[in-house]
Amino acid sequence: MGSHVARQFSEVDKLRTELLNNVDVITEFQRVEEEVSHREILTRIESVILEVVTSLSKDEAPVLALPSRSSWANISFDSAVGLQMCPGSSVSAVRSDCPSSATKFAQIVKLFLVIYKLVQSNSFATKRDIYYNNAQLFGSQKAVDGLVDDISCMLKVSRRSLHVLATSKGFISGDLCYMEEDGTRIDCRSTSAAVSVSSNIRGIKNIVSSAKFVLIVEKDATFQRLLDDDFCTKMSPCIIITGKGVPDVNSRLMVRKLWDALHVPVFALVDADPHGIEIMCIYKYGSVAMAFEAHSLTVPSVMWLGLLPSDLQRLRVPKDALIPLTRRDESKLCSLLGRPYVTGKPQWQKEMELMQQSKVKAEIQSLAAIAPDFLTSIYLPNKLRYGGWV
């Protein structure tokens, strides 16, 4: 049994050795900043409100300056960190005397009040709580979500430091046990059911795992298929996690937490389409909107395990399982090929150019056209055994 496991994971172990040789460099660049003290956060909020009060005392309309989180112009790229916000990034003015932004101004001030009370009392609230307690003012949950991130960026602190939590949408399963901040012990080793990703990742402690690797699975349907086929037992010891499509912050924080704690290879299993590639890039290099928190959200060591465009030809996936690229797909692919993190990865470029030339895409489920259990019995075990990642 021992020699079988050794052979099965020999390439994975080699990759881990390579990663560990670079881990000091990665840690140096990706050092997670110390949490800002409660007093410092309160002082930063007081400073913003003082400016508002000062403007009012001079009979001037108060203005808030929010960093622009949606512009590539404010982003720099570092291969050891990912996408990060440049110092001195451009800002957008939220005026209290302008009809188009007066409501937004009031929403931000209200959020500052809520956050101040939470930090001061050392209590937590979910974004959902905040919305329902002030539904008329905020109008939608989406407004609260975006403004909390704006304030986090403005104050240069993590969202958790603001004592605002979000309900997680991701799931995790495999060789992993840990303790929540409140002392609850979580065991992810059940073979039939997954565990919801914690809503308080920073509070996780006492992580215990013998996992050889972590597998990020793009879609919930594929994740459930891996559970049904007992993948975590077949490829034991390992951990699988899904953010169910575009990952929420908690799923990304969890992947980063596992990397920091275990330093084992992290692989991505996504559809062979531009959308799947972009989702993998979010885990690996981050997103423009959350670039201000890149140091705690990205894992640049993530490897692309599949589904590779070259796999479609190599495995002769039946043509009726392939889908023609849409104009939107082609546009997204061109955009990806021009991004700084792709231009430095020739193997990724080659795969994407192959997709461009073939003009087809495929979902992970397309492998079922070869054999119903092809994904879990042949494709993934062989990929992991023979180093089929890029």
Side-chain angles (χ1 to χ4, degrees):
M1 181 68 181
S3 62
H4 170 71
V5 171
R7 287 197 308 273
Q8 181 170 261
F9 292 118
S10 61
E11 291 300 318
V12 173
D13 288 340
K14 276 186 205 170
L15 175 61
R16 187 185 185 211
T17 302
E18 287 173 28
L19 295 174
L20 287 174
N21 288 337
N22 297 323
V23 83
D24 291 337
V25 178
I26 293 169
T27 306
E28 176 65 27
F29 279 100
Q30 267 202 309
R31 195 186 297 114
V32 180
E33 295 158 18
E34 291 293 314
E35 277 201 40
V36 181
S37 69
H38 288 187
R39 182 63 258 166
E40 176 59 25
I41 293 169
L42 296 177
T43 300
R44 292 182 192 183
I45 295 173
E46 287 164 4
S47 176
V48 174
I49 299 302
L50 183 60
E51 286 183 27
V52 170
V53 173
T54 302
S55 295
L56 289 170
S57 69
K58 295 177 182 177
D59 280 338
E60 296 172 357
V63 179
L64 293 170
L66 290 185
S68 180
R69 295 190 300 114
S70 59
S71 171
W72 276 93
N74 287 339
I75 303 299
S76 65
F77 173 69
D78 185 318
S79 59
V81 180
L83 301 174
Q84 49 190 347
M85 189 165 267
C86 303
S89 296
S90 61
V91 297
S92 58
V94 181
R95 302 187 60 85
S96 60
D97 62 345
C98 177
S100 63
S101 63
T103 299
K104 188 173 183 178
F105 183 92
Q107 291 170 338
I108 294 169
V109 171
K110 176 63 178 177
L111 274 174
F112 272 126
L113 174 63
V114 171
I115 290 165
Y116 193 92
K117 286 180 177 177
L118 288 171
V119 175
Q120 197 175 41
S121 63
N122 196 26
S123 53
F124 289 82
T126 65
K127 291 191 291 186
R128 197 171 179 79
D129 293 334
I130 293 171
Y131 166 64
Y132 279 113
N133 286 335
N134 304 273
Q136 197 166 357
L137 172 62
F138 291 113
S140 72
Q141 181 68 60
K142 192 175 179 180
V144 175
D145 296 350
L147 290 174
V148 168
D149 289 336
D150 285 336
I151 290 172
S152 179
C153 184
M154 183 184 187
L155 298 180
K156 296 181 171 60
V157 296
S158 67
R159 190 172 65 197
R160 184 186 180 276
S161 297
L162 301 179
H163 285 230
V164 177
L165 304 175
T167 305
S168 297
K169 68 169 185 168
F171 288 110
I172 189 164
S173 183
D175 191 302
L176 176 68
C177 297
Y178 59 85
M179 192 176 286
E180 295 270 18
E181 192 168 38
D182 64 3
T184 305
R185 190 79 191 156
I186 305 296
D187 189 340
C188 304
R189 293 173 299 185
S190 167
T191 55
S192 58
V195 172
S196 290
V197 169
S198 171
S199 60
N200 187 359
I201 305 297
R202 295 268 167 82
I204 288 175
K205 54 195 173 186
N206 301 344
I207 291 176
V208 178
S209 175
S210 303
K212 290 281 190 178
F213 64 89
V214 175
L215 179 64
I216 298 166
V217 182
E218 176 191 349
K219 296 191 297 195
D220 186 42
T222 308
F223 182 85
Q224 294 300 329
R225 179 63 196 258
L226 295 186
L227 281 184
D228 292 344
D229 287 359
D230 214 8
F231 176 80
C232 289
T233 301
K234 288 177 183 173
M235 298 302 293
S236 178
C238 69
I239 296 167
I240 60 174
I241 183 169
T242 181
K244 295 168 74 174
V246 177
D248 58 342
V249 169
N250 287 332
S251 296
R252 291 166 63 187
L253 283 170
M254 189 67 191
V255 173
R256 176 57 199 262
K257 185 87 170 182
L258 293 172
W259 163 249
D260 284 336
L262 308 176
H263 286 311
V264 295
V266 181
F267 299 111
L269 177 65
V270 299
D271 287 340
D273 66 16
H275 186 65
I277 295 168
E278 185 166 49
I279 285 172
M280 173 176 58
C281 290
I282 291 172
Y283 284 105
K284 186 174 175 74
Y285 294 127
S287 60
V288 172
M290 295 299 291
F292 67 95
E293 260 202 89
H295 283 81
S296 59
L297 286 174
T298 62
V299 182
S301 60
V302 168
M303 305 298 286
W304 186 3
L305 186 66
L307 185 64
L308 302 179
S310 59
D311 289 337
L312 304 180
Q313 295 182 358
R314 181 176 60 83
L315 299 171
R316 297 178 182 172
V317 175
K319 285 189 178 179
D320 57 4
L322 306 178
I323 307 163
L325 289 180
T326 64
R327 284 187 181 176
R328 190 174 175 184
D329 289 330
E330 289 176 354
S331 174
K332 174 69 74 180
L333 203 49
C334 284
S335 169
L336 285 166
L337 280 163
R339 292 185 190 176
Y341 46 71
V342 172
T343 53
K345 293 194 72 65
Q347 285 180 297
W348 282 32
Q349 282 180 306
K350 191 176 173 183
E351 291 290 340
M352 287 188 234
E353 285 164 1
L354 182 60
M355 189 187 296
Q356 251 182 347
Q357 291 156 16
S358 67
K359 295 190 180 298
V360 293
K361 60 184 179 179
E363 297 182 333
I364 296 162
Q365 291 93 317
S366 66
L367 296 178
I370 301 173
D373 63 344
F374 190 80
L375 173 66
T376 52
S377 296
I378 299 170
Y379 181 76
L380 289 175
N382 283 346
K383 278 268 182 174
L384 292 161
R385 181 167 185 171
Y386 299 110
W389 50 77
V390 295

